[in-house]
């Protein structure tokens, strides 16, 4: 009868020796099969797989190293290929696989520097680099390196805060690898890498982290909105400033042009009035009866001015001697005569100085 069902039973669910033997007895009735299973269980319980027997000529598989003892003492290490053993004296005590081995580190709890309890699990990758140390330096290399990985991870987590643990996972993995390699050097094992698979903070911490992220995003949104409003206000103010500057410059140019026009008009008017006065004065001086003509002109303007006052305003200011036109004309002519006399005196003084 095949032994495969019983082997699967022992591999999947290790049980005490008596229980395993009873299970075997229920499946197999042969004493030989039961004794073989008991021997296999004894080997598995000791943490060591079944070793090759000394058949004088052996072939060592690739990526394996066999440790040979002679009369109970270490003799040599067999490399892959053909090997010759001495019957009865040589014994293959250990077989070490030189391949990279992945060991699952079970979930465990660790407390961070800021007193937050985390649940972590990971995967450790190691390889045997010295078969002699791996055989005689430690009883169970896989169990030992797994325990070392757990204790090292707890120690490293205790030196970091929660935020640092979540943000610098690669740094944490690197520190754990260095610590494991330092401790397992005497075991002939090299830790290649360590990867933390999952980090589970408490539910309240996760909720607080989500609230913090939401608040941070809201803060960023408000900052961006305020920056946009600020830039918009700056742009509007800059536009208003430029508009006012341009408007003031246009108003300035307009006032300058208007002032220049008014000044030119005043100059032209003054020149025309001066020319007219000169001609009137020359006409008065060079003709007989010129003063009488000037008096007549003043009288005409006097009458025209009173007519305009009556048309343009309801309030009329009339001098006391408004009905005495001849008196007004005589007064105007006396003023004209005094002005002409002063001009003649000034002309005579200028001619005398020359």
């Amino acid at each position: 009868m095949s032994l495969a069902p019983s082997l699967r039973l022992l591999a999947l669910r290790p049980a005490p020796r008596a229980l395993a033997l009873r299970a075997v007895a229920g499946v197999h009735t042969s004493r030989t099969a039961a004794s073989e299973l008991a021997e296999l269980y004894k080997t598995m319980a000791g943490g060591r797989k079944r070793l090759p027997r000394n058949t004088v000529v052996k072939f060592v598989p690739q990526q394996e190293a066999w440790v040979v003892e002679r009369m109970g003492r270490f003799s040599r290490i067999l490399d892959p290929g053909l090997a010759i053993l001495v019957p009865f004296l040589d014994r293959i005590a250990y077989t070490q696989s030189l391949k990279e081995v992945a060991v699952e580190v079970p979930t465990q709890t660790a407390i961070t520097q800021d007193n937050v309890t985390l649940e972590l699990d990971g995967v450790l990758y190691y390889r045997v680099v010295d078969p002699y140390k791996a055989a005689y330096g430690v009883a169970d290399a896989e169990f030992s390196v797994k325990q070392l990985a757990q204790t090292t991870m707890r120690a490293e987590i205790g030196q970091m805060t929660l935020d640092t643990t979540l943000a610098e996972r690669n740094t944490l993995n690197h520190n754990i690898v260095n610590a494991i390699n330092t401790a397992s050097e005497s075991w002939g094992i090299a830790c290649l890498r360590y990867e933390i698979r999952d980090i589970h903070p408490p539910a309240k911490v996760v909720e607080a982290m989500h609230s913090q992220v939401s608040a941070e995003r809201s803060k960023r949104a408000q900052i961006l909105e305020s920056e946009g409003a600020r830039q918009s206000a700056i742009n509007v103010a800059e536009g208003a400033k430029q508009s006012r500057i341009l408007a003031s410059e246009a108003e300035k140019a307009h006032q300058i042009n208007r002032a220049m026009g008014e000044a030119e008009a005043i100059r032209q008017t003054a020149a025309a009035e001066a020319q007219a006065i000169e001609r009137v004065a020359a006409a008065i001086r060079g003709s007989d009866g010129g003063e009488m003509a000037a008096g007549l002109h003043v009288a005409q303007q006097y009458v025209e001015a009173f007519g305009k006052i009556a048309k343009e305003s309801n309030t009329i200011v009339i001098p006391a001697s408004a009905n005495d036109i001849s008196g007004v004309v005589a007064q105007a002519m006396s003023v004209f005569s005094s002005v002409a006399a002063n001009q003649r005196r000034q002309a005579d003084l200028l001619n005398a100085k020359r």
Side-chain angles (χ1 to χ4, degrees), residues 10 13-18 20 36-46:
L10 292 175
R13 187 177 180 181
R17 182 171 181 274
E36 290 179 359
L37 287 175
E39 182 180 357
L40 176 61
Y41 179 82
K42 184 185 299 183
T43 303
M44 294 176 58

Side-chain angles (χ1 to χ4, degrees), residues 21-206:
L21 291 178
R22 286 197 299 270
V24 170
V27 178
H28 302 283
T29 57
S30 174
R31 292 186 177 181
T32 304
S35 62
E36 290 179 359
L37 287 175
E39 182 180 357
L40 176 61
Y41 179 82
K42 184 185 299 183
T43 303
M44 294 176 58
R48 296 166 57 182
K49 61 184 179 180
R50 197 166 186 177
L51 299 174
R53 294 181 179 180
N54 185 354
T55 58
V56 182
V57 178
K58 302 295 293 186
F59 295 95
V60 181
Q62 184 66 31
Q63 288 298 98
E64 284 193 7
W66 292 359
V67 179
V68 177
E69 294 180 352
R70 178 168 293 177
M71 293 183 294
R73 298 183 60 181
F74 170 75
S75 174
R76 64 187 186 277
I77 296 177
L78 301 181
D79 296 326
L82 177 63
I84 305 299
L85 301 177
V86 177
F88 304 109
L89 298 181
D90 291 342
R91 182 178 70 92
I92 301 174
Y94 301 94
T95 59
Q96 300 292 345
S97 174
L98 303 181
K99 300 177 183 179
E100 183 176 345
V101 181
V103 178
E104 180 179 0
V105 180
T107 303
Q108 60 177 335
T109 59
I111 301 176
T112 62
Q113 189 177 14
D114 49 355
N115 296 325
V116 178
T117 303
L118 302 178
E119 292 185 358
L120 308 95
D121 59 354
V123 179
L124 174 66
Y125 299 88
Y126 76 93
R127 185 167 60 88
V128 175
V129 294
D130 190 340
Y132 176 81
K133 292 182 179 180
Y136 298 103
V138 62
D140 189 343
E142 182 175 334
F143 176 78
S144 300
V145 76
K146 184 186 298 185
Q147 296 299 316
L148 181 60
Q150 290 181 340
T151 56
T152 304
M153 183 168 60
R154 281 196 294 266
E156 291 293 333
I157 291 294
Q159 300 176 5
M160 304 172 67
T161 61
L162 175 61
D163 295 337
T164 306
T165 303
L166 298 176
E168 300 181 4
R169 185 177 295 189
N170 292 332
T171 303
L172 178 60
N173 294 336
H174 181 70
N175 294 339
I176 292 175
V177 169
N178 292 337
I180 292 176
N181 284 331
T182 302
S184 63
E185 183 178 1
S186 61
W187 300 345
I189 296 174
C191 179
L192 303 179
R193 61 187 181 275
Y194 182 88
E195 299 292 339
I196 295 178
R197 291 193 303 186
D198 294 319
I199 299 178
H200 301 286
K204 293 184 179 180
V205 175
V206 174

Side-chain angles (χ1 to χ4, degrees), residues 329-345:
V329 172
Q331 184 178 0
M333 292 304 298
S334 63
V335 172
F336 179 76
S337 298
S338 61
V339 171
N342 290 331
Q343 290 180 353
R344 285 194 295 272
R345 285 195 297 272

